[in-house]
Amino acid sequence: KLFALTKVTALAALLGASFGALAEPVEIKFSHVVAENTPKGQMALKFKSLVEERLPGEYKVSVFPNSQLFGDNNELAALLLNDVQLVAPSLSKFERYTKKLQIFDLPFLFDDMAAVDRFQQSEAGQKLLNSMNRKGIVGLGYLHNGMKQFSANNPLHLPKDAEGEKFRIMASDVIAAQFDAIGAIPVKKPFSEVFTLLQTRAIDGQENTWSNTYSKKFYEVQSHITESNHGVLDYMVVTSDTFWKGLPKDKRDVIKKSLDEAIAFGNEIAAAKDEEDKQAILASGRSTLVTLTPAQRQQWVNAMKPVWAKFEDQIGKDMIEAALAANK
Ligand code: LMR
């Protein structure tokens, strides 16, 4: 009898061991819409290598760039369904879940990326990471891309040069209001469609960072880029409450630390790429740079700044003041 019991125990141990060996690592899917040679693309790959190095065999990270798995229209819904565990949409793309992040779209609010960073790291900025908690979305950190520039098929020196032209915009009512303010026509479209829309002249222009304009070749189908630095394009790396709380605490800590390091790495790339990609575009000779004089730029400011007042109630006057305080 004792022998039989031992045999059963041994068998169970054997089975257990083989099940253990067969256990698949838990997959963390990270989906994004940009190319790999971008701050977000590189950050995602860095995160993958850090997690797989620190939790070998236990967790694996699958990165899907270029809207391959999910695009702008469905990545947040997919996150809430746990079909993907990490996404990092631009701050302009959360409007359905919170109006608070609209602050980042206010034209001419931040002087530069250093100011954006100071605001994000401030108490007010950190609070915004929790602005979608009630919707089941957890903000894990901010990631930089850069300041936005306008591109078009004519030189945009003054706001009136954009009158009547169609501009592709991200799904943001603030950005729509910004183009309305200068008599242009904003068209909300997912990032994956921008190149074709520009190429076929279905739209006249767009606004984006040097990095996105370069990596997606928008500069090949736009004759002019106006260096306006009129707004910011940054990201929030988000996960779902369900996935995040379901992780064992010790694993979650390793994953969060890896993410923080990957974000720091991505931010360094963002700073470098901003200048590098701008230079690569200029060197290509495919589109011409339009540099604004201070007086010309002031006209864009005057035309677009009234947008702030329209969204002040939704965003909060105190938030706008906190953001302005980050400009030095
Ligand atoms: C865009 O849609 O233009 C950007 O938000 C794309 C991105 O993720 O940088």
Side-chain angles (χ1 to χ4, degrees), residues 103 109-110 115 119 122 124 318-327:
I103 187 160
L109 178 65
F110 296 105
F119 173 63
S122 72
D318 49 335
M319 267 290 165
I320 298 178
E321 272 159 19
L324 284 171
N327 289 328

Side-chain angles (χ1 to χ4, degrees), residues 191-213:
F191 188 60
S192 58
E193 292 177 23
V194 182
F195 181 85
T196 306
L197 289 167
L198 293 172
Q199 191 185 36
T200 58
R201 303 272 179 133
I203 50 169
D204 303 299
Q206 58 100 39
E207 51 158 35
N208 231 307
T209 59
W210 291 112
S211 163
N212 282 342
T213 299

Side-chain angles (χ1 to χ4, degrees), residues 131-159:
S131 58
M132 296 173 286
N133 287 3
R134 258 186 271 153
K135 301 276 160 78
I137 296 174
V138 181
L140 297 174
Y142 293 103
L143 171 71
H144 297 322
N145 187 321
M147 301 296 279
K148 292 184 290 187
Q149 324 298 338
F150 296 115
S151 75
N153 278 316
N154 61 314
L156 305 177
H157 294 286
L158 294 172

Side-chain angles (χ1 to χ4, degrees), residues 33-313:
V33 301
V34 292
E36 284 194 327
N37 62 335
T38 58
K40 188 160 56 181
Q42 292 297 304
M43 177 282 251
L45 293 173
K46 182 74 170 180
F47 173 69
K48 173 184 170 66
S49 78
L50 290 175
V51 168
E52 293 180 356
E53 177 190 305
R54 291 168 184 175
L55 299 168
E58 289 184 85
Y59 287 84
K60 88 171 196 207
V61 178
S62 307
V63 180
F64 302 89
N66 296 311
S67 311
Q68 259 167 31
L69 186 64
F70 298 109
D72 283 339
N73 289 340
N74 53 8
E75 64 182 8
L76 284 166
L79 184 80
L80 289 172
L81 291 172
N82 204 26
D83 289 338
V84 61
Q85 287 71 44
L86 278 177
V87 291
S90 87
L91 295 165
S92 316
K93 295 177 183 170
F94 290 100
E95 223 168 61
R96 285 183 54 199
Y97 301 91
T98 178
K99 302 284 182 206
K100 299 280 175 211
L101 294 175
Q102 288 180 324
I103 187 160
F104 290 99
D105 284 338
L106 295 179
F108 299 102
L109 178 65
F110 296 105
D111 288 347
D112 50 28
M113 291 307 291
V116 173
D117 194 75
R118 279 192 291 272
F119 173 63
Q120 288 172 348
Q121 300 315 319
S122 72
E123 201 185 320
Q126 290 294 303
K127 220 169 92 184
L128 290 175
L129 292 172
N130 301 321
S131 58
M132 296 173 286
N133 287 3
R134 258 186 271 153
K135 301 276 160 78
I137 296 174
V138 181
L140 297 174
Y142 293 103
L143 171 71
H144 297 322
N145 187 321
M147 301 296 279
K148 292 184 290 187
Q149 324 298 338
F150 296 115
S151 75
N153 278 316
N154 61 314
L156 305 177
H157 294 286
L158 294 172
K160 69 172 172 47
D161 299 328
E163 243 172 63
E165 294 191 359
K166 286 191 193 140
F167 285 83
R168 175 272 172 170
I169 62 163
M170 300 182 273
S172 153
D173 288 346
V174 179
I175 301 177
Q178 170 199 285
F179 280 98
D180 285 340
I182 57 168
I185 305 158
V187 189
K188 290 179 181 173
K189 290 285 178 188
F191 188 60
S192 58
E193 292 177 23
V194 182
F195 181 85
T196 306
L197 289 167
L198 293 172
Q199 191 185 36
T200 58
R201 303 272 179 133
I203 50 169
D204 303 299
Q206 58 100 39
E207 51 158 35
N208 231 307
T209 59
W210 291 112
S211 163
N212 282 342
T213 299
Y214 178 67
S215 58
K216 287 292 178 191
K217 301 189 167 31
F218 301 157
Y219 70 98
E220 293 189 356
V221 286
Q222 295 275 268
S223 67
H224 289 79
I225 303 177
T226 296
E227 187 163 38
S228 51
N229 292 310
H230 62 279
V232 59
L233 198 163
D234 261 19
Y235 308 109
M236 191 185 285
V237 185
V238 292
T239 187
S240 71
D241 195 49
T242 320
F243 172 72
W244 199 240
K245 292 219 176 110
L247 289 169
K249 165 123 183 28
D250 55 331
K251 311 294 177 202
R252 186 165 61 224
D253 289 348
V254 176
I255 292 167
K256 178 64 166 64
K257 186 167 183 293
S258 303
L259 186 70
D260 291 344
E261 289 175 32
I263 286 177
F265 176 76
N267 285 346
E268 279 171 30
I269 295 202
K273 280 219 155 286
D274 198 52
E275 187 56 28
E276 259 169 47
D277 292 351
K278 172 183 163 187
Q279 292 309 329
I281 290 172
L282 300 187
S284 78
R286 298 292 289 264
S287 52
T288 307
L289 182 73
V290 177
T291 308
L292 301 175
T293 64
Q296 287 172 332
R297 192 166 188 271
Q298 192 56 44
Q299 288 205 33
W300 291 90
V301 175
N302 295 347
M304 290 180 161
K305 228 170 145 173
V307 166
W308 295 17
K310 290 195 181 144
F311 294 89
E312 195 182 273
D313 286 349

